[in-house]
Amino acid sequence: MAQRGLTRALRGWIRTPVTARIAVVYVLSRLVTTGFFALAAAGSSFGSRFGAQPTLADYVLGWDAQWYWSVAVFGYPTALPVNDAGQVTENAWAFMPVYAYLSQIVGIGDWGVGALLVSLVAGYLACLALHRLLRPRIGTTAAQWAVAFFACGPLAALFQVGYAESLFVLLLLVALDLASRHRYGWLYLVIPVMGFTRPGVLAFALFLGLHGIARWTARHRDPLPARDVVHIVALGALTTAVGFSWQVIAAAVTGDAGAYLKTELSWRRNWLAEPSAAFVPFDGFVRGAEFWATQWGMPAWAGWVVLALLVIAAAYALLRARSVRRLGVDIRLWGASYLLYLLAVFFPQSSTFRLLFPLTPFAGALAVPRSRVYRWATLLVCLLLQWLWIHAMYGLAQTYWQVP
């Protein structure tokens, strides 16, 4: 009898529309995340950034959410704040406007409520977009497991806090799906919104260039109409312009041509005693490798070796790993583009894992193996890592490496 009941339940689940199935997974995963937040709050102490008895609302509005709230309420500074040495300090220009103002509108003046709703809804829609992107590549069942890994993953708390990541990833997944289906027209609308939601759109410009090259080399078996060439070139130009436009806007408002880059570099002074005075591509990761090596009691050159090994491992996975190859050329090109972008502009610190969130499509590679034991074990690992991340970044939140 129990076996028959299980069989009927499984058949009913299969007949359920995919949007409803994903909704069930998403709601259950959000309940688990809420439970993790409650546990973190219960174990919080006076030494934590959030105090001894934080509420879930405190977590929603914690860390960078305060910057987005500041943008929505006060806007952007017309004069850059500086320290006693005349160096630009942390300010709102590091945060894009779309999420901040959309949350204010949705919350009807209560920014925290709006931010939570935007993140939650964007997260569910991102699950749908991920399934649509992956299903033709790895099949329906594997795509559903990939959605489960995404919804329950180590960074799933981002669906329930005032960060722009869930909205950005939604727009990114839609953009990747449109590009892979060669439906370029809609990208003229998606790209500007994505570009003003969170930094990273320049990686998409590189992706479009590589996507165009890939289509050109495959044109004998996959025709490349002239109109598609025009779209790819025009979209590449648009994405590049959007990617640099925030620097131009910041310069125009503040009167300082380097306002945006100076703002971004100001965060590095929290980590390096003598950060570079000007932005130098790839300098952040090289200096970061040295910093973390010395923090862990190793010589600086050991950090360079670890960085080189990580780059080689990522390149091998993108080029040779069977489960990654199943995802198709476009997703792999996006992974290469975004990782190169991070190497060029980012300083590796506690937010590194959060900045890997746009690599969400690679959840599909985790879902390719068909073993049920493997898939359930992977899901449990995702949940365990999620709890550890929430516990460290929100429950403890006491030291320099506990900043999400």
Side-chain angles (χ1 to χ4, degrees):
M1 292 295 291
Q3 182 66 31
R4 290 180 181 177
L6 182 61
T7 301
R8 284 197 298 269
L10 181 59
R11 289 174 179 173
W13 176 255
I14 293 173
R15 288 195 297 267
T16 303
V18 67
T19 53
R21 275 181 279 170
I22 290 175
V24 170
V25 170
Y26 188 70
V27 169
L28 291 175
S29 64
R30 300 286 59 77
L31 292 174
V32 171
T33 299
T34 301
F36 286 162
F37 271 131
L39 286 174
S44 188
S45 68
F46 285 107
S48 166
R49 178 187 178 96
F50 294 96
Q53 294 182 321
T55 65
L56 296 182
D58 292 329
Y59 289 154
V60 172
L61 296 171
W63 297 118
D64 285 358
Q66 287 292 300
W67 285 109
Y68 288 111
W69 169 82
S70 176
V71 168
V73 175
F74 302 109
Y76 293 93
T78 56
L80 295 173
V82 296
N83 58 21
D84 293 338
Q87 300 167 315
V88 173
T89 58
E90 300 162 350
N91 65 84
W93 282 108
F95 300 88
M96 302 299 183
V98 168
Y99 179 81
Y101 290 120
L102 178 61
S103 297
Q104 184 77 348
I105 293 170
V106 171
I108 316 177
D110 189 328
W111 190 87
V113 171
L116 179 60
L117 290 175
V118 171
S119 292
L120 280 172
V121 173
Y124 170 64
L125 295 177
C127 288
L128 295 179
L130 179 64
H131 187 274
R132 176 179 172 84
L133 178 67
L134 294 178
R135 183 177 57 188
R137 295 166 168 80
I138 61 176
T140 300
T141 301
Q144 290 173 353
W145 275 100
V147 168
F149 298 157
F150 174 49
C152 299
L155 298 172
L158 293 172
F159 299 132
Q160 294 176 226
V161 296
Y163 275 60
E165 265 71 15
S166 60
L167 181 58
F168 181 84
V169 166
L170 165 61
L171 295 166
L172 170 67
L173 292 171
V174 170
L176 288 172
D177 185 61
L178 290 171
S180 66
R181 295 173 186 270
H182 308 161
R183 299 179 63 180
Y184 299 111
W186 288 102
L187 285 173
Y188 292 98
L189 299 177
V190 175
I191 286 172
V193 180
M194 183 168 64
F196 289 102
T197 298
R198 177 189 175 279
V201 76
L202 285 175
F204 199 80
L206 175 58
F207 159 75
L208 284 172
L210 296 176
H211 168 81
I213 293 172
R215 287 208 62 191
W216 175 261
T217 57
R219 67 190 184 279
H220 299 298
R221 62 178 183 275
D222 181 16
L224 178 61
R227 67 177 181 275
D228 284 3
V229 174
V230 172
H231 276 310
I232 293 170
V233 173
L235 286 167
L238 171 65
T239 310
T240 302
V242 170
F244 285 107
S245 63
W246 193 242
Q247 297 182 40
V248 176
I249 293 171
V253 173
T254 63
D256 186 332
Y260 176 70
L261 290 179
K262 290 177 182 177
T263 296
E264 288 289 358
L265 290 173
S266 68
W267 262 268
R268 294 189 187 179
R269 284 196 296 274
N270 295 327
W271 301 85
L272 299 176
E274 297 180 1
S276 300
F279 171 73
V280 179
F282 302 102
D283 174 71
F285 249 94
V286 173
R287 297 286 301 278
E290 297 172 357
F291 171 82
W292 287 108
T294 56
Q295 288 293 302
W296 296 331
M298 298 184 294
W301 60 263
W304 304 336
V305 172
V306 172
L307 176 60
L309 291 175
L310 289 174
V311 171
I312 292 170
Y316 177 83
L318 290 171
L319 291 171
R320 304 296 299 173
R322 184 176 301 178
S323 59
V324 175
R325 290 172 64 88
R326 283 280 304 275
L327 301 180
V329 172
D330 282 330
I331 290 178
R332 291 158 63 206
L333 290 178
W334 163 249
S337 300
Y338 188 69
L339 289 174
L340 183 61
Y341 166 80
L342 286 185
L343 283 172
V345 306
F346 186 59
F347 176 85
Q349 30 94 350
S350 60
S351 298
T352 300
F353 295 109
R354 175 171 59 84
L355 293 187
L356 295 177
F357 205 46
L359 295 177
T360 287
F362 290 90
L366 294 177
V368 167
R370 296 183 178 182
S371 167
R372 290 184 181 179
V373 173
Y374 162 81
R375 285 171 169 172
W376 281 106
T378 301
L379 184 61
L380 290 175
V381 170
C382 286
L383 291 170
L384 174 61
L385 292 176
Q386 182 188 158
W387 160 245
L388 292 175
W389 194 79
I390 290 173
H391 179 58
M393 303 300 178
Y394 289 90
L396 299 179
Q398 294 169 327
T399 189
Y400 65 95
W401 58 267
Q402 292 168 327
V403 182

